[in-house]
Amino acid sequence: METAQKKHVSTSQNILFGAPEGQDARILADRARAMMHEDRVLVHVASDDERAAVLQELLSFFAPDVKVLVFPAWDCLPYDRVSPHGDIAAQRVAALSTLLKWEAEQQRYPRILLTTAAAAVQRVMPRESLQNAVMHVKKGGRLDMKNLQKFLHANGYLRTDTVREAGEYAIRGGIADLFPPGFETPVRLDLFGDEVESIRSFDPSTQLTEKDLPELSLYPAVEFFIDEPSINRFRTRYRALFGVAQADDPLYEAVSAGRRHSGMEHWQPLFFEKMDTLLDYMPKAAVTLDHHADQSREERSTQIRDFYEARRTLEKAGKKKKSTDVSLSGAAYHPLPPELLYISEGEWRDTAGNAETLSPFGGSEGQADGGGKKGRDFADLRAQPDADMFNAVGEYVAVQRAGQRKIMIAAYSEGSRERLRGMMEHAGFANFKTVDNAEDLKRLEPYETGMAVLALGHGFIAPDLAVLTEQDILGDKLARRSAKRKRADNFLTEVSSLSPGDLVVHLDHGIGRFEGLETIVAARTLHDCLKLTYANDDRLFVPVENIEVLSRFGSDEGTVQLDKLGGAGWQARKARVKKDLMIMADGLLKIAAERALKKGEPMATPESYQEFASRFPWQETDDQLRSIGDVLKDMGSGQPMDRLVCGDVGFGKTEVALRAAYVAAIDGAQVAVAVPTTLLARQHYQNFAERFRGTGLRVEQLSRLVSAKDVKRAKEGLSDGTVNIVIGTHALFGKDVKFAHLGLMIVDEEQRFGVKQKERLKELKANVHVLTLTATPIPRTLQMALAGVRDMSLIATPPVDRLAIRTFILPFDPVVVRDALLREHYRGGQSFYVVPRIGDMQEVEEMLKELVPEVKIIAAHGQMSATDLEDRMSAFYEGKYDVLLATNIIESGLDIPRANTMVVHRADMFG
C-alpha cells in the first residue's frame, strides 16, 4: 500500500487547485498563451476520451485563438485481435504530422495538444520515420502514377472503387482520388501524362469537386509501413521473439505477403528499429493532467499487464491441449512484451514527473489556485415538489452579479437553449442575450444574462464569470451537440453501386445492361462514361456526371428483355404506366377525400407541454422534432389523425408517442397504447409511468402479467374515465373493454397484430386519432403512407452521441469473449450470447460459467414453455442476470437499454 501511494504522489505533487470543469479550459488557454513566446506546446492529458472531447469544445468556446490538436488512443483493447478504427488511426497520424509542422513553423501562436491517459502511455512511430514518409504534390508539377500507387500501398492506404473514408484511394486512368489523414474531404488529382493538371477537394457522397488546392502533402494512413525493409524487420524480430513461425500463424503469413491483417497494429514495434513516445515529438513541451488522469494511467497499466498475462497463459495452455477444445480454438496469438509497446512506470516519471495536475477542489492558503470553484447545483430543490426553483436561481444570480461577475447559462443544444429561455422568461427573468463565443461573452452588459450552447455538465464560478448549466437547473441531460450529417438524396449517385452485368433503367431509353466504365474522347475532351448495352448489341455511353438519369432495375433479372435504342416500346410502356397510375390516383384521392371530410377532436398543445418535454433526458434529433411537430399539428387540425412514424430501433419513436399522449390526456381524452407482447407492454408501462409521474394523469396496464384484481380495476377506470392512459396487448381489443372518451390510439409495431385485432382496431378508431409506430412497416401500410392515404414521418437520423455499432468477425478467442462480457458487466450493462442450435447451448453454458464465473447467466430458447420462457426473459429484463444465452428468439424487438454487447457463437451457421 505504501509503495502504491508513493508511486501515485510522485506524479501528482504539483497541484493547481480551483480548476473545475469549464474554468480548467480557461486556465489551459492562459498557459498556452504564456508559453507561445517560448515556442513551447502545452500537452494536457485528459482522463479519458469523453473528457478530451468536452475540453476541446470548451476551448473552442472560451479560447478560439488557441490552436487545439487532439491525439486519441486506440479504440480497441490492449492485445486485441482487432485493429483500431481507420478514422482513429488517421487522426493519430495526422496529429503526429501536425506536431512536426508546428516544430518547423516560424510563426508563433498558442498551441495545445489534448490527449488521454491511455494514449500517453502508448509508444508511437519514430518521428524520423514519419518525417521521411511524406510525398509532396504540387499543381503543375510532375508525378509518376506508379510511384504514387506504390507510396499509397506502402503507407497503409486501401484501394477502393470509390473513396469515402480516410485512408482510401482509387485510381481511374489519369485520375487519382485519395483521402489523406487530417483532411475533412478527399482530394482528386488530375494528371495529363505525368503532369499534375489540378488538385481539387471533392464531396465523397456526390463525387463532385469543390475547390482547387495549390499543393498537397501526403502522410501515411496507418502507424507503420508495409514496404520491403519493414517486412524484413518484422519477420526477423518476430522469429527472434517467438521462434520459427508455425503454419497456422496468419499474422506472419499476411505480413510476409505484404498484406494487411486484422489486429496487426498490436505488433507495430516489430516494423521499426525503435519506437518513440508522444513527448519525443515535443521535447520542450509542458505537461498538465486532469484530476483523475494519473489514476486512469495506472488503471490502464494494470489492464495492459492483465491482458498480457491472459494471452501468455492461453498461449502456454494451447501448446498442451488439443486444438479441438472449445475453450482454446482459434488462431495462434503471440503477445509482445508490454515494454515494447507501452511506456513503463519509470519512463513516465522521467518524462511527466513534474506535470501539473488541475484539481477542481479548493486548496489551503498558500497553495496554487486557479480561482475557480464549482457552481450551485439545485438538485436539493428539484427533490422538493413544492420548491420554487426559479426563485432560487434568481437569488443565486443576484448574488453573483453583486460580486461583479458576468452571468452565463449553458444548454446542451439550440433547441434546449430556447426551451430553457422560454421557461425562465415565463418565470419572470429578462434581458437574455445569445452568446456563441468568448467575444460575445466579453460584450455582455452587467444586467444581461448570456445563453450559450456548451457541453458543460455543471456550472462554475470564476473571479469574472459565473456559469449555470441546464443540468444544474433542470436535472440530468445526457446529450451532446449533434454533428451535421450529409445525406445523399439521389437513388443512384455512385458508379460503385453498380457491377458489370447489372440491369439499369435509363429515363429516356429504358432497360439496358451496365458493362463497365470507359474513357472516350468527345469534343476533344476525355470523358468517363458508363457503357450500357441494349437490344441488338446497341451501345449507349452515359457520362458519369449525368448518372442521375439512371436507376437500378428492381425486378427479377432472369426474364427481362433489353429495350431497343430508338424503339417505341419503352415510350409505350411509360404511357401505359402513367394511365394506370392516374386510375390508381383517382381511387386514392377518393379515399383521401372521404377521410378529410371526417371530423376529429382538435387537441391543443397545453402551456405545460414545454415542462413535460424538458423531462426528456436526451437531445432530440431534427427528424424527431419534425415528427413530433407533424403529430401535434395533426392532432390540432380538427381532422382525425392517421400517421405512421417509421424509424429504426432506438431512434426515438417512443418519445413521439409520449408527447402525443400527454397532449391528448391533458386535453381530457383517453389514450390507448397497443403493443404486440406482454414484455413490451410492461416496458412501455414503466416508461409511461415514469414520465407521467407528478402530472396527475393515471397510467394503467392490461396484459396477462397483470393480476386479475388490477385488470378489473383498470377496466373500471377506463369505463368511468379515471384512467387516462392504458398500455396493453390484444387484451385491449376485448369486448369488455369500454372507454369513456377514447381520443388517441397508439399502435406499436402494427405488423405484429393479427387480422382479428386489426378489425377490432378499425371499430375503435372511427373518429379517433391514430398514431402507428414501426421500424418495419408491412407492405400495405407502407404503400398507403407513400401514396398519401396515411401520413408518414420518418426518423432516419440516430440519436446524438449514439455510437455506430461495431461488428468484428474473429476466430473464437476466450480472452476476447471474457473481456467483452466483463467489460459490459463492470459498466453496469448486460450482454446477449447467441447460439445457432439448441443442442449447443448446454456445452456453451458450461464453457461460459468456467470462463466468466463473475457474471450470472440464464438460458432461453423456443422449445421452453411459454411461461418458463417469459419468466426467464423477464428476469433478464429486470437485471437479475448479466448474460442471456439464447437462440435467435431475441430478435423480437425487446428494448433493453443496458444490453449493449452481443456475442454470436458460430456465426457461420446462421442463415
Side-chain angles (χ1 to χ4, degrees), residues 226-247:
I226 314 181
D227 54 13
E228 189 172 343
S230 299
I231 292 173
N232 290 335
R233 271 194 298 271
F234 175 90
R235 287 163 55 90
T236 301
R237 299 188 66 188
Y238 193 87
R239 291 194 300 267
L241 282 169
F242 309 120
V244 178
Q246 302 297 316

Side-chain angles (χ1 to χ4, degrees), residues 845-885:
E845 185 174 5
E846 292 172 358
M847 180 269 296
L848 287 176
K849 287 179 177 177
E850 181 181 351
L851 185 64
V852 201
E854 297 91 338
V855 303
K856 296 174 68 177
I857 301 169
I858 189 170
H861 56 77
Q863 291 184 4
M864 294 178 174
S865 67
T867 303
D868 187 22
L869 178 60
E870 194 147 347
D871 288 344
R872 289 168 178 260
M873 298 292 280
S874 298
F876 181 70
Y877 174 76
E878 292 168 359
K880 296 178 181 178
Y881 292 88
D882 304 302
V883 178
L884 177 64
L885 174 65

Side-chain angles (χ1 to χ4, degrees), residues 27 40 45 129-130 154 186 285 364 367 379 418-419 437-438 443 445 469 538 580 601 613 637 673 692 775 842 860:
I27 292 170
R40 298 177 68 196
V45 182
S129 299
L130 185 58
S364 305
Q367 291 181 313
E418 295 310 310
R419 184 165 61 208
N437 50 48
R443 290 192 287 265
E445 297 294 339
T469 69
D538 291 340
D580 292 342
E601 182 178 353
S637 67
V673 183
F692 283 91
Q842 184 176 354

